Amino acid sequence: MPESPPMSLPDAYEAFADHHRESSLLQSCASLLSWDQETHMPKGGAGNRAQQLTLLSGMVHRRQTSEEYGELLAAAEDCGLIADEHPAAAANLRVARRDYDRSRRIPPALVEEKTGATVLARRAWVDARANDDFPSFRPHLERIFDLSRQIAEAIGSESGDPYDALLDAYEPYATAEGIEAVFAPLREAHISLLDRILGSDRSVDVRMLHRDFPQRAQAALAREAGSAIGFDFERGRIDETAHPFCMAISPDDVRLTVRYERDFFNPAFFGLLHEAGHGMYAQGLPAKQHGLPAGTACSFGIHESQSRMWENLVGRSRSFWRWCYPKAQEAFPEALVNVAEEDFYRAINEVKPSLIRVEADEVTYNLHIMLRFELERALLSGELDAGDLPGAWNETFEKYLRISPDNDADGCLQDIHWSAGLIGYFPTYTLGNVYAAQIYEAAERDLGELEPQFERGEFKPLKEWLNRNIHDHGQIHPPRELVEVVTGSPPHHDALVRQLESKYLRS
Ligand code: ZN
């Protein structure tokens, strides 16, 4: 019998897919310009770059909300492609339909108004933070939350909770109530774990992390580790920036960025492992579906699960350092000459409440996030008045982290998110940690204990397992369903608590 030709999809579907792919291509040009803006562009280029990015994002938005695209989408839907036979095509249509309907519901004037408001808010935030002047930022914060509420109402949500409409942009199908169900027990467990750690009289010496770490040696070690865990430098690169990120132009062109501090080992090394985790996800997405939802990352939370897994579950494990520490000593002979591996391991895992989220350790980090989740929900619902934010911040901070900031610059003004209009984004960081812990346990069920492998510098089994179980799926499953398919249970705080307790209380 002759081999049957590859199953072709109906023309109407292909026309929809072509349109979508072209929009993604246009979007990738904007991504490249953003990457350049944060890494190489001279300061003077800012004005022109802003125009370029506004032009491109406007073009993408018009294409993806146009009547013409709506007709292509509807015609493709009429082809009756079902998930059992065409999982990728069915997912592409499902996600495209949700995105289309969502953006069509938001009045263009409201989008423009919010864009304008965030430009002003961003500027005001920079000054307010520099001068520790919350009152000057307050009207901008009110405006952003007010416009976000209007947008949320225009989008609508099943629950009627405006927060859910915003959250959906980052974590599709997630609800504030569902997240709270995971966060509430996690919060209890974290506070109790923190108290037990703080109550033990074990002190950790971290001074060796603040010795002299020449940048070239930092770059070489970070690159060696990134390559060892599986980031492909034939299809990616590293550059320097002020606020590190990972930008995928395509699965074959993934840009990682790092920030070096000469007198602090952690930011560049762990930052690189983190961004490489994001980068390996981007490189692992199915090439055949590139430019379509099935070739796009599942959600912000799932993305973060990949970065956190490599940064923390792998990169801060004892066995990782059994493999990597001799390399680090070789790279920094002066700084680490008399430092025992165990002391170094304890230093990079020091748990200590601190004011700044991005500097927080594994145990306190999620408390920073839960506080933000709580406060932004209250601000959006109107339960919390913007003027009362500093007080609410400090009070909750004290309750969760046992310390509290004595100024707003290190308190409610520290993050860029709200000034940028990103509301509903914060919880995805902690969801990432929750997912990572569950996914890691599932990987161990399939692959056996992973730590002995790390000790030998073997990271490929885990990386390829993630390729098969997470990356390959793109957006075929919504995030909650993906976690369930891969781990056997819906998102749950148990695995994360188990891992943190065994790491910090029993070793
Ligand atoms: Zn990240």
Side-chain angles (χ1 to χ4, degrees):
M1 222 173 99
E3 227 178 85
S4 57
M7 208 170 354
S8 65
L9 290 161
D11 289 348
Y13 172 81
E14 292 297 352
F16 145 78
D18 282 345
H19 180 103
H20 198 291
R21 273 190 290 258
E22 210 168 287
S23 297
S24 301
L25 201 57
L26 204 51
Q27 180 56 49
S28 75
C29 300
S31 300
L32 186 58
L33 290 176
S34 299
W35 168 83
D36 175 72
Q37 175 176 284
E38 302 301 325
T39 53
H40 289 77
M41 187 188 79
K43 232 177 160 181
N48 189 59
R49 183 56 44 89
Q51 286 181 18
Q52 292 174 315
L53 288 170
T54 308
L55 175 67
L56 284 172
S57 70
M59 285 165 77
V60 174
H61 183 77
R62 276 194 299 280
R63 281 180 61 86
Q64 289 305 95
T65 52
S66 67
E67 297 282 346
E68 182 205 350
Y69 173 59
E71 282 161 21
L72 290 174
L73 178 57
E77 286 169 331
D78 283 344
C79 299
L81 296 166
I82 55 167
D84 282 347
E85 285 164 25
H86 301 281
N92 289 337
L93 291 169
R94 173 179 56 77
V95 176
R97 167 56 64 193
R98 285 191 102 225
D99 290 348
Y100 182 73
D101 289 349
R102 178 190 167 89
S103 33
R104 293 270 294 187
R105 281 198 285 265
I106 311 171
L110 204 49
V111 177
E112 256 168 59
E113 220 178 319
K114 189 177 168 193
T115 308
T118 54
V119 171
L120 297 176
R122 165 94 191 252
R123 240 178 271 158
W125 170 72
V126 170
D127 290 342
R129 193 170 67 146
N131 305 321
D132 183 27
D133 179 12
F134 178 78
S136 71
F137 181 60
R138 178 188 163 170
H140 296 277
L141 188 70
E142 276 169 351
R143 181 100 186 103
I144 295 274
F145 272 89
D146 182 41
L147 289 168
S148 299
R149 195 178 306 115
Q150 292 180 44
I151 288 176
E153 276 157 12
I155 297 167
S157 68
E158 236 169 79
S159 62
D161 182 345
Y163 191 85
D164 289 354
L166 303 180
L167 177 63
D168 193 81
Y170 311 105
E171 206 61 13
Y173 302 93
T175 63
E177 211 182 279
I179 288 178
E180 182 55 22
V182 177
F183 281 11
L186 189 65
R187 191 180 300 124
E188 295 267 301
H190 269 62
I191 294 174
S192 133
L193 175 60
L194 182 60
D195 282 343
R196 278 177 285 167
I197 294 171
L198 295 178
S200 74
D201 45 9
R202 200 165 69 191
S203 74
V204 178
D205 184 356
V206 298
R207 280 172 303 178
M208 86 290 269
L209 298 176
H210 295 278
R211 290 179 182 161
D212 185 31
F213 295 95
Q215 184 172 323
R216 275 178 68 158
Q218 285 198 53
L221 184 68
R223 190 183 166 98
E224 185 179 356
S227 176
I229 62 172
F231 183 78
D232 181 357
F233 283 97
E234 293 287 308
R235 300 189 295 140
R237 54 177 287 134
I238 307 179
D239 292 87
E240 236 185 295
T241 191
H243 303 284
F245 59 91
C246 163
M247 183 78 79
I249 313 302
S250 84
D252 296 325
D253 182 359
V254 178
R255 314 289 174 103
L256 310 181
T257 58
V258 284
R259 181 173 60 87
Y260 298 100
E261 273 184 47
R262 183 145 185 168
D263 58 357
F264 191 15
F265 175 82
N266 292 5
F269 190 84
F270 293 105
L272 192 275
L273 291 184
H274 181 98
E275 301 309 336
H278 283 304
M280 290 193 283
Y281 188 3
Q283 289 180 336
L285 289 165
K288 268 209 296 212
Q289 295 293 328
H290 176 51
L292 295 166
T296 308
C298 179
S299 73
F300 281 59
I302 298 290
H303 229 309
E304 199 65 6
S305 77
Q306 301 303 289
S307 56
R308 291 280 163 172
M309 183 170 313
W310 292 102
E311 177 193 357
N312 289 335
L313 301 185
V314 180
R316 288 183 204 269
S317 69
R318 217 179 229 112
S319 57
F320 178 87
W321 286 99
R322 196 132 300 154
W323 167 76
C324 196
Y325 195 60
K327 299 177 197 305
Q329 278 188 312
E330 206 177 303
F332 310 108
E334 279 170 39
L336 300 177
V337 62
N338 288 320
V339 179
E341 180 193 306
E342 180 65 16
D343 293 336
F344 181 84
Y345 167 78
R346 289 190 180 276
I348 57 162
N349 284 297
E350 185 197 31
V351 173
K352 191 178 174 191
S354 61
L355 300 174
I356 308 297
R357 173 184 63 87
V358 295
E359 293 166 6
D361 57 78
E362 274 183 283
V363 175
T364 56
Y365 187 87
N366 294 314
L367 293 168
H368 287 260
I369 295 303
M370 291 189 257
L371 158 119
R372 286 157 174 78
F373 169 63
E374 220 169 280
L375 295 179
E376 68 179 8
R377 271 183 88 187
L379 284 168
L380 191 72
S381 72
E383 208 176 294
L384 177 65
D385 187 78
D388 297 330
L389 176 64
W393 180 286
N394 297 352
E395 201 179 297
T396 316
F397 208 93
E398 170 87 48
K399 206 162 69 184
Y400 292 176
L401 286 132
R402 311 313 194 201
I403 57 169
S404 98
D406 53 17
N407 64 69
D408 296 330
D410 289 338
C412 64
L413 286 173
Q414 68 180 267
D415 297 298
I416 193 172
H417 300 61
W418 292 336
S419 71
L422 303 173
I423 295 155
Y425 186 125
F426 279 124
T428 67
Y429 291 118
T430 286
L431 285 177
N433 288 326
V434 168
Y435 299 161
Q438 279 181 266
I439 293 170
Y440 188 90
E441 282 190 353
E444 284 206 310
R445 281 198 292 273
D446 282 357
L447 301 170
E449 253 195 284
L450 290 168
E451 289 227 16
Q453 302 178 19
F454 302 158
E455 210 171 301
R456 299 190 295 268
E458 290 168 16
F459 304 102
K460 213 173 165 183
L462 176 59
K463 188 247 173 195
E464 290 182 345
W465 188 92
L466 293 169
N467 283 152
R468 288 193 304 277
N469 289 281
I470 305 286
H471 309 170
D472 259 355
H473 296 276
Q475 295 194 55
I476 288 183
H477 304 287
R480 188 184 166 87
E481 189 182 298
L482 178 65
V483 171
E484 217 167 331
V485 168
V486 175
T487 71
S489 53
H492 200 277
H493 68 285
D494 262 359
L496 179 56
V497 172
R498 210 163 26 239
Q499 284 167 13
L500 290 174
E501 287 189 340
S502 100
K503 179 169 178 180
Y504 290 98
L505 296 178
R506 285 191 273 289
S507 64

